[in-house]
Amino acid sequence: MNQFIPLFYLCMMVEATVKRDIRKLKLDELKEFFVQHGQKPFRAQQVYEWLWKKSVKDFDEMTNLSLEVREMLKAHFTINFIKVDNMQRSADGTIKNAVKLHDGLIVESVLIPTDKRITACVSSQVGCSLACKFCATARLKRMRNLNPDEIYDQVVAIKQQSELYFGRPLTNIVFMGMGEPLLNYNNVMAAIEKITSQQGLNMASKRLTVSTVGLAKMIIKMADDGVKFNLAVSLHSALNHVRSSIMPINDTNSLEELGESLKYWYKKTKRKVTYEYVVWKGINDSEEHAQALLKFCKIIPCKVNLIEYNPIDDGEFQQASQEAIDMYMHLLESNGITTRVRKSRGKDIDAACGQLANKS
Ligand code: SAH
């Protein structure tokens, strides 16, 4: 028993010296902290604005606080802002950031410029647990979920790059980087809350798209939670045996369950869904597959993005022929389904869909 006493004190000492990440505190908790330390609660509002609206990385940048208050904050807290460790620019203008987190782990995020838009593509997890056979991120073990501030900071960094390199504002955000956003639901929602709030980046929800492998239970939850952003589902096949062979999640989350959850989504939100779909040679490039997709598209109002395949491997997956793409296009469009072919961006720097794998 005696042995426990010094250990206990040691733990107490360690706890006293470990600084907390200030951005984990809600506004009310920050107010409480200030009151407990003999300060006026409105200081919390000021600090909150520096942290979220102005994204400062250092307490000394909080110039409307006295030196004494800044020192007190420094003694108790850290600001764990992400660090853009390596930035690569593609010939087509796309920027890929390797983002270092406070514990040294790395995720990637991408800025995609077009004539009309600048889109930030952000990661939600370090690595991914879903094992989709065609995706480079699937080869990285899932290490952990990103915190809300780590997701938020990726957007802030890209917003700054957008203004610096293109002289234009960031217009859209897609959760299509590393990881499965709906397996990190609470943190992704908390980040979106900040991105869309007036105390944060004040971006319109309709400018945001969350892309998922199609977890039925979570789609129902999102519908119940009344979310206002867009939903994209990475479909890739509307035949169970084919989808299961390339996306193992389909074994426990079948197309029927997915379809039911999407009906519920549409009933509750009245929002269309976008299906992401790659056509591969010999896997899903025949008429039978296109017909199955068309049938799936009739479940709820939707759009289809036929995305170009970005090779990541030794050739197990290959982009289908132009004729196969045209066949899909014609069938879907002639049945009233809006369909777009999405060309890849940033391929030369491995920044395109499914290529994010921390190569740099
Ligand atoms: N887990 C989420 C978010 C990742 S988004 C999801 O599955 O939607 C990444 C998108 O790129 C998904 O639509 C994914 O299916 C697609 N993708 C993955 N690997 C790809 C590749 N090699 N070429 C083209 N698209 C790919």
Side-chain angles (χ1 to χ4, degrees):
M1 190 66 192
N2 272 351
Q3 277 178 334
F4 269 85
I5 297 165
L7 191 63
F8 172 76
Y9 280 112
L10 190 67
C11 291
M12 293 285 285
M13 279 162 64
V14 169
E15 189 156 41
T17 52
V18 170
K19 294 182 190 178
R20 285 198 291 168
D21 176 0
I22 192 165
R23 288 188 302 168
K24 287 229 165 75
L25 269 62
K26 297 199 174 78
L27 182 58
D28 283 347
E29 293 168 329
L30 205 53
K31 278 188 187 158
E32 208 178 296
F33 170 85
F34 273 106
V35 173
Q36 276 170 4
H37 288 79
Q39 297 285 330
K40 294 267 181 328
F42 78 89
R43 292 277 172 224
Q45 187 69 47
Q46 291 177 318
V47 170
Y48 211 68
E49 205 158 283
W50 284 113
L51 291 173
W52 295 106
K53 218 177 172 71
K54 300 178 187 146
S55 293
V56 299
K57 297 170 190 164
D58 196 316
F59 290 109
D60 283 330
E61 291 176 65
M62 302 184 176
T63 47
N64 58 0
L65 302 181
S66 68
L67 195 62
E68 180 202 354
V69 171
R70 279 185 256 158
E71 290 303 322
M72 180 186 69
L73 289 173
K74 277 189 228 170
H76 287 87
F77 300 110
T78 57
I79 305 175
N80 289 340
F81 206 86
I82 56 153
K83 185 168 177 292
V84 176
D85 213 31
N86 184 17
M87 186 188 112
Q88 288 171 276
R89 292 194 75 170
S90 156
D92 67 20
T94 301
I95 294 177
K96 181 168 84 169
N97 296 316
V99 165
K100 197 176 219 166
L101 309 172
H102 68 95
D103 54 2
L105 291 173
I106 293 195
V107 291
E108 292 177 333
S109 59
V110 185
L111 177 159
I112 308 152
T114 61
D115 289 347
K116 292 198 191 116
R117 298 171 170 191
I118 293 200
T119 302
C121 174
V122 298
S123 295
S124 55
Q125 297 182 309
V126 186
C128 188
S129 57
L130 289 170
C132 298
K133 298 228 167 93
F134 45 82
C135 180
T137 308
R139 295 179 181 179
L140 302 174
K141 210 175 94 201
R142 178 196 163 281
M143 305 290 281
R144 69 168 172 89
N145 285 336
L146 293 190
N147 297 326
D149 51 281
E150 292 169 329
I151 299 170
Y152 185 85
D153 291 352
Q154 293 175 63
V155 177
V156 170
I158 291 179
K159 186 177 183 318
Q160 287 165 355
Q161 290 172 333
S162 168
E163 283 150 15
L164 182 66
Y165 297 112
F166 299 90
R168 286 155 53 193
L170 176 68
T171 59
N172 294 72
I173 302 171
V174 294
F175 284 77
M176 293 190 186
M178 294 173 157
E180 167 55 43
L182 302 191
L183 288 178
N184 184 16
Y185 186 76
N186 291 343
N187 291 352
V188 167
M189 293 304 132
I192 289 179
E193 209 274 311
K194 281 274 174 347
I195 292 167
T196 53
S197 87
Q198 280 186 7
Q199 272 100 38
L201 301 179
N202 204 12
M203 286 190 71
S205 301
K206 61 175 191 223
R207 300 278 182 184
L208 271 61
T209 301
V210 169
S211 180
T212 171
V213 76
L215 304 172
K217 287 199 183 86
M218 298 312 292
I219 291 175
I220 291 171
K221 175 154 176 53
M222 276 198 298
D224 283 337
D225 288 348
V227 301
K228 298 274 186 303
F229 48 74
N230 303 302
L231 174 64
V233 172
S234 300
L235 194 62
H236 304 308
S237 174
L239 294 171
N240 273 317
H241 67 283
V242 178
R243 193 166 193 262
S244 288
S245 72
I246 53 176
M247 300 170 75
I249 189 70
N250 198 68
D251 288 340
T252 49
N253 186 92
S254 69
L255 286 163
E256 289 69 29
E257 281 171 79
L258 174 59
E260 286 305 313
S261 71
L262 290 169
K263 273 190 210 161
Y264 189 80
W265 163 268
Y266 190 72
K267 196 171 110 200
K268 284 254 171 171
T269 68
K270 292 282 169 288
R271 297 188 84 86
K272 277 187 182 181
V273 63
T274 301
Y275 298 124
E276 308 290 333
Y277 199 101
V278 178
V279 189
W280 290 284
K281 202 173 275 181
I283 292 177
N284 58 357
D285 58 350
S286 74
E287 170 98 29
E288 180 203 0
H289 296 91
Q291 289 288 355
L293 174 59
L294 175 61
K295 191 166 163 223
F296 198 85
C297 284
K298 291 186 176 155
I299 298 176
I300 62 162
C302 67
K303 290 184 281 192
V304 174
N305 281 343
L306 295 176
I307 40 185
E308 189 185 342
Y309 177 57
N310 303 304
I312 56 149
D313 55 22
D314 36 22
E316 186 190 350
F317 290 89
Q318 282 171 26
Q319 170 75 35
S321 64
Q322 190 56 46
E323 290 78 59
I325 308 285
D326 292 345
M327 181 269 294
Y328 264 91
M329 248 334 233
H330 178 72
L331 183 71
L332 295 169
E333 284 278 330
S334 63
N335 281 280
I337 313 286
T338 306
T339 309
R340 300 258 174 282
V341 175
R342 291 256 177 259
K343 290 275 170 230
S344 280
R345 306 291 308 272
K347 254 184 175 174
D348 53 341
I349 53 165
D350 286 328
C353 280
Q355 289 188 314
L356 302 184
N358 289 350
K359 267 199 204 164
S360 61

